[in-house]
Amino acid sequence: MAGPYDPVLRFHTLATPHFLIHFHDGEDEAAARLAATAERVHDLLTVELSHIPRARTHVVLVHQDDRPNGSTTVVPWNAIEIDAVPPTGADSIGNTDDWLTYVFTHEYAHVLHLDRSAGWAVLARALFGRTVIGFPNLSLPLWQIEGFATLVESEGGEGRLHAGDFREIVDAGARAGRMEPLDRVNGGLIAWPSGQGWYAYGARFQEFLVARYGRERLVELADRTAARIPFITSGAFKAVYGKSLGELWNEFESTAPTAPNAPNAPVPLTRLGYIVDTPRIDTDGSIWFSAADAHRFPGLYRLPPGATEPRRVTSRYGGSGLSLGRDVVIFDQLEVTRGAGLTSDLYAFDRRTGRTRRLTRGARLVDPDLSPDGTRLAVVRTGPAFRELLLLDAAALLRMSAPAAASALPVLARRGDELDVFATPRWSPDGARLVAEHRSLGRRSELVILDDHLTPAGPGVQSAGRNVTPAWTADGSILFASDRDGGPFAIYRATFYSATLSITRVLAPSGGALSPASTSDGRILFVGYSTAGYDLFVSAVIAPVAPTAPVAPTAPVVPIAPIAPVAPYSPYPSLLPRGWLPTVERRDDRWRVGGVAAGSDVLGRHAFAVSASWAVSNGHPAASLVPGARPDWAGSYAYTRWQLVPYVAAQDQTSLFQLVNPQGSLVPVAQREQQVDAGAVRSFRRVRWSQSVLAAYHASHVTTSTAQQDEPSNRSGVRGAWTLLTAKRYGYSISPEDGIAAGITGETFRPGLGSDGSGDALTADLRAYLPLGLRHGVFAVRAAGALSRGDAGTRRLFLLGGDNGNLALGRFGNDTIALLRGFDDDVFAGTHVALVNVEARLPLGWPERGWGTWPAFLRAVHATAIADIGNAWTSGASWSDRKTSLGGELAADVVVGFGLPLTWSVGAAWGHDGSGQVPDQRRVYVRLGSSF
């Protein structure tokens, strides 16, 4: 897999006293502002949070993703990544006029919270270095980690805790009597509020602790948890607050608002929940919108007049704009670019043919709105820390036979610079004016009125808070959402009288309202919030309340000049390993202990790993054939900057198994394989599918040992592999669904390539995941086969038998096609293998519960009926020799450590060998992971 960053980006490093800012071409001004911001935030937070990191923190500023976000790690170094594109005011993280300060404050709060070690953890860091073992705060529940940083981000007057829409996540649950219990916001929740839960509940709970018990105790808590055993940290609350975490959570719940919902509640038009947005009303009264939830791939929907269920029109991943033309529907969506970021482009859905085609490629365009006459298209182009407004020639764009690149866009006008953030432009009914959301660094949120050349054309709408998602009405007034009153978003109307502007509030539902549109009968369509998430609602006509006066903007902030010399990025200072981890595994019926160390530079261009393990038990019949002091070891290196990733790997590993000899007895075998691989892999990744191609040179020295003899052989040659994946996993999936997975491998060995003899091998593996009729039920079928030919000492011997899953595609080895339950592991062998696995996977329920703050969360329970049929042979095969098994599995999807999803399966299968070499048997097994 290629590295995390677009290979075309050229990075530089700006050093400050406490940070190394890594940024690429085009981000010079944003990086300079971030450098000054970082030092200012450092001076403030290190005092308030009583912690100073020992070394400089890496900060990667990158503009390759059109979803604003940030992330932090403290292993193996302190590093922050910031997606430079700013959010719009309607985003949950959009309550700010300075995105870089906002997101850096949140992420640096993570650094100062997690980069702490006390007590035993100090010794662990001395022994193991900068690994997860030495930082106990990494093991805190997600509500504690994210809630802490969200609280800190909000202490300057902006941030999510000052946003009514964010607070509504908890408040709506409280009003409905359905606040999330502690165990459901630890991490792993699928149901709404899903991942938003640990931010909202964690921040509100810690806000409550600060208000009732003082801020200094929260810092003391961070120090105490940094000295506790990982995942057993809740006892620190008793030491700090004199009350258990459960008692404190109960106090918090008792302070939540319980007022009933407002009277005359709007009528819901959809009951999809999760994310519903971009509603538009068509000329026939139907409503188009986008929706995304945990049950299916996101899509574009249409709700016909009078219908109760929306109809899916086409798939749509992400995106924030939607415009209805006479013949086309234009929208934006996200796609993977060069295997790295998710960037936005324009697409057109043809109403006549029902087909969707791409209009732009690499143009970074969002929020399209087509003029009423269909000739002009208003869009927003994202940039590093800004969003500019463009006016395109729509007719010229739609006539293009191929997607337009950024340099080929038919631009008629543009507005905005490095300090501007535009969003959601909307044409007036006569096509003479535009209204758009606008923010600038250090200025209040406003709605601007522009003419068809993007020059100011009237008084704007300004106020404290956020003014977002405007839409024109038929009479020339503007509906928009604003949180100027301090609560969740309400709907306001801006009416123009000559040179004056009147603003009135017309709708304030309990859950808030966004994206208003006026219906033909005078009602208001909007996106509202409930405990299930977002949906479409329609309100009755409501009398306006008192006008709200505009608020003058504040003075703009002057850009900051660079404060330190800039140098080309060098990977070497961050490349050396900072620590290692002990390992324990059970393989071939033996326990093994060892260690692993891995490393990469902060931009992920170089990656390496080394590991070694020793057997500490001898439970396998072939264990006596292996020297006890000999380790299994492996090492690898890859240069991951480019999409074509060159790599080299070496390993020395011994496998133990038993084979059936011609007399029908089991013979213990130890096979030592010392091998070196050098090659390259090219991955092709898109939102809806991925595939990869690999080519490599492989050299191995294999020694096969039995009690009677050792048989050495050299097998060297070239390898190739291809894989394809279109199947998907959704939030509530118990298995891949809605697609296929396929893999083909081939290898050829020749004396001229260093092999003792000649040999070829080929494997093919095709899997289909089909709907079973029950929601998220899956009929999974796999057909796989392998064959080898050549000299006896060189050709590959394939193994068959056992319950170990064959999850990975494109692998080389003896056991890549081995899943035959009801038999011992690898009990059959041959130069040919054919196998069919059939499974009916049925969901039994989604408990979605844990136990307090223990690091285990039961997400789903499901059952599987299984049937396997296969055979392994060398000299010849008969249908009567086939091996079959029938059985069933009961599985649980769990989340451990608050963030690691695992599947545990318990199964039983009855195996029958048609050849009679192995007696019929029943095998009961436990497996970590899925079958295929």
Side-chain angles (χ1 to χ4, degrees), residues 500-583:
T500 64
L501 172 67
S502 174
I503 299 176
T504 53
R505 193 179 75 186
V506 296
L507 182 64
S510 299
L514 280 168
S515 303
S518 179
T519 65
S520 59
D521 60 359
R523 296 185 298 168
I524 297 176
L525 170 73
F526 65 94
V527 173
Y529 182 81
S530 71
T531 54
Y534 294 91
D535 269 299
L536 294 183
F537 293 80
V538 66
S539 76
V541 178
I542 299 177
V545 300
T548 302
V551 178
T554 57
V557 173
V558 178
I560 300 170
I563 61 174
V566 174
Y569 170 77
S570 174
Y572 305 112
S574 59
L575 182 59
L576 294 177
R578 263 69 174 175
W580 66 281
L581 285 172
T583 60

Side-chain angles (χ1 to χ4, degrees), residues 463-476:
S463 75
R466 295 169 288 168
N467 303 287
V468 301
T469 60
W472 296 86
T473 63
D475 62 3

Side-chain angles (χ1 to χ4, degrees), residues 590 617-628 656 668-670 705-707:
R590 299 195 299 171
S617 66
N618 296 311
H620 196 280
S624 60
L625 301 174
V626 183
L656 307 181
V669 179
S705 301
T706 64

